[in-house]
Amino acid sequence: MLRKIEDKVMAGERISFDEAIELFMTDDIFSLGEIASYVAEKKNGKKVFFIRNRHINPTNICINRCKFCAFSRSKGEEGAFELTIDEIIEKLNPSRNTNPTSPITSYQEVHIVGGLHPNWPFEHYLEMLSKVKKNFPRLNIKAFTAVEVDYMSKKSGLSLEETLLALKEHGLDTMPGGGAEIFDSNIRVRLCPEKISGERWLEVMETAHRLGIKTNATMLYGHIESYEHRVAHLIELRTLQDRTGGFQSFIPLSYHPKGTEIGGFYSSGIDDLKTVAVSRIVLDNFDHITAYWIMLGEKISQLSLLFGADDLSGTVIEEKITHSAGALSEESMTPEELENLIRMAGKIPVERDCFYKEIRGKEQRAKSEKR
Ligand code: SF4
């Protein structure tokens, strides 16, 4: 049934909107996985990447209060928090997180995202970047979603370009891909009415790419959207990537309903695997597809490696956003645990930096840390 699409993919041809819908509708997930694996292996062989990273959320106070978000709070509400810059620096000290079976002696990357704080000026974010870089000069900083960057631009009165340049000058290395959700405006108005539009999200990313800032891209699926909305979202990303080449990885994010205003169900394992596979096939100009194990769980993430994913994200260490919405995964995995999941899937584990540069063994890691 998928033969025609398979032939097209094998011939290196791009699949259409209707063909992507056909892939989502199929019950033949094994053939779907084979096609996606073909694309993944053509790009990355049997390699599967991971990174020693740590997530930090500076605050959960957010003026947007999206209806799918169980993480955010209003100022003064129970459970609201805001970290000082010193507290962020303290969290980044690896000795705070030593695991007796596998001590992480240094992180390669910090991933910083948070709410839109009503009172923090732009200078606060710049100071945060500068102090992190000053204290950990070799640490890659992947920070701030397109939503946060848009907010900083509005608060500071600077253009998007000026805002991003200032962030870059103060230490920003790359940007995560959050805030994309589903681009369709009819879905967005029900899901996150206060959030920037899909067009604005794409504009922020295009500007970042033009300034040489690599980013990721995401899609939140499994809530109120249809397959058509998902495919339209993927094709928007593919079109922008054709223009800029600035996206590093695509990360499908499975919706978690607990504690959210819109409620609903967790996505199914089959839907997770289909979404990874269809993303891999549609996004023929993305080098990497990430199985974010925090959301998919360790076991579905491992299976995703047979459905087109070639990246398992990282060690994470502390995770608040998805766990606020009922994530069933752990908050942290050691490099050895990640490597084991990858090996047991018949793949080759490769440690990477935030630009997907390979770090081979302790020696190379030490060199990379000295950069
Ligand atoms: Fe705020 Fe992001 Fe949560 Fe929306 S998803 S409420 S922007 S923290």
Side-chain angles (χ1 to χ4, degrees):
M1 207 178 139
L2 300 180
R3 197 51 197 267
K4 229 175 100 197
I5 299 177
E6 187 176 357
D7 289 347
K8 219 171 155 181
V9 173
M10 301 282 175
E13 287 175 42
R14 181 162 273 190
I15 70 160
S16 67
F17 182 95
D18 289 343
E19 287 163 336
I21 296 289
E22 200 182 324
L23 292 179
F24 265 123
M25 298 292 286
T26 187
D27 290 329
D28 184 4
I29 66 158
F30 297 110
S31 298
L32 178 61
E34 270 174 23
I35 303 171
S37 287
Y38 169 82
V39 180
E41 292 201 7
K42 205 167 146 198
K43 287 182 182 288
N44 296 295
K46 290 211 174 289
K47 288 178 188 171
V48 171
F49 298 88
F50 70 95
I51 189 166
R52 286 170 201 253
N53 69 347
R54 196 206 197 285
H55 284 207
I56 292 197
N57 307 121
T59 182
N60 64 348
I61 298 172
C62 186
I63 58 164
N64 269 4
R65 306 307 309 268
C66 301
K67 295 180 192 306
F68 66 84
C69 177
F71 163 74
S72 63
R73 295 286 183 278
S74 296
K75 200 165 166 62
E77 191 183 341
E78 198 186 334
F81 71 83
E82 45 194 306
L83 300 180
T84 64
I85 294 175
D86 286 344
E87 284 170 329
I88 291 173
I89 302 293
E90 176 60 15
K91 276 179 182 283
L92 280 170
N93 184 346
S95 64
R96 281 267 314 260
N97 303 296
T98 300
N99 176 324
T101 57
S102 172
I104 294 182
T105 52
S106 63
Y107 300 117
Q108 189 68 44
E109 173 196 270
V110 59
H111 167 109
I112 305 176
V113 296
L116 308 184
H117 194 288
N119 309 120
W120 286 356
F122 183 43
E123 292 67 31
H124 179 76
Y125 298 95
L126 297 179
E127 191 187 340
M128 191 187 295
L129 291 174
S130 302
K131 287 206 169 152
V132 168
K133 255 312 186 229
K134 188 165 169 251
N135 280 275
F136 305 98
R138 294 183 293 274
L139 185 69
N140 295 148
I141 305 180
K142 179 177 74 180
F144 310 133
T145 64
V147 180
E148 291 173 277
V149 170
D150 166 81
Y151 184 61
M152 290 174 204
S153 155
K154 287 186 180 125
K155 283 210 105 171
S156 63
L158 298 173
S159 67
L160 268 184
E161 190 165 309
E162 289 165 335
T163 306
L164 284 159
L165 275 175
L167 292 170
K168 194 176 172 188
E169 274 161 21
H170 285 76
L172 181 81
D173 290 302
T174 61
M175 279 171 62
E181 325 312 354
I182 286 283
F183 292 142
D184 184 277
S185 57
N186 292 322
I187 295 295
R188 235 171 156 78
V189 81
R190 290 163 60 198
L191 204 62
C192 46
E194 307 299 331
K195 192 168 259 177
I196 57 170
S197 66
E199 291 78 26
R200 179 67 169 172
W201 187 96
L202 290 161
E203 187 188 348
V204 174
M205 289 313 197
E206 183 156 13
T207 311
H209 297 170
R210 201 171 52 238
L211 298 173
I213 301 168
K214 294 277 185 190
T215 77
N216 289 335
T218 61
M219 172 178 75
L220 184 73
Y221 67 92
H223 38 83
I224 53 171
E225 89 292 3
S226 65
Y227 288 152
E228 282 76 8
H229 293 125
R230 292 188 202 180
V231 173
H233 184 102
L234 293 174
I235 289 179
E236 291 262 28
L237 290 174
R238 188 171 75 179
T239 305
L240 179 55
Q241 179 77 329
D242 275 343
R243 278 209 300 279
T244 68
F247 289 119
Q248 299 203 106
S249 186
F250 173 72
I251 311 160
L253 303 175
S254 71
Y255 170 64
H256 282 56
K258 211 170 146 193
T260 68
E261 207 178 317
I262 56 168
F265 302 99
Y266 287 89
S267 62
S268 73
I270 297 290
D271 196 20
D272 292 334
L273 294 175
K274 274 187 175 180
T275 308
V276 169
V278 178
S279 306
R280 177 61 287 171
I281 297 165
V282 173
L283 297 175
D284 53 7
N285 52 3
F286 276 61
D287 287 341
H288 304 287
I289 303 290
T290 299
Y292 184 41
W293 61 267
I294 287 280
M295 281 185 155
L296 296 178
E298 294 83 346
K299 293 182 181 182
I300 293 288
S301 295
Q302 186 188 35
L303 276 175
S304 299
L305 305 182
L306 306 179
F307 283 78
D310 66 278
D311 182 66
L312 259 198
S313 182
T315 47
V316 180
I317 308 295
E318 181 182 348
E319 205 287 326
K320 291 186 189 304
I321 296 176
T322 317
H323 283 82
S324 305
L328 305 170
S329 57
E330 298 291 327
E331 279 191 63
S332 170
M333 271 212 267
T334 64
E336 291 75 12
E337 285 168 328
L338 288 163
E339 283 178 344
N340 186 49
L341 284 183
I342 296 167
R343 276 207 192 90
M344 294 301 281
K347 305 283 180 177
I348 303 163
V350 178
E351 189 171 341
R352 65 169 173 88
D353 71 4
C354 80
F355 301 104
Y356 283 82
K357 225 161 108 218
E358 295 182 21
I359 298 171
R360 285 190 206 88
K362 282 191 186 136
E363 223 170 85
Q364 191 167 346
R365 191 177 313 126
K367 261 193 219 156
S368 132
E369 283 162 7
K370 274 187 203 133
R371 276 199 315 258

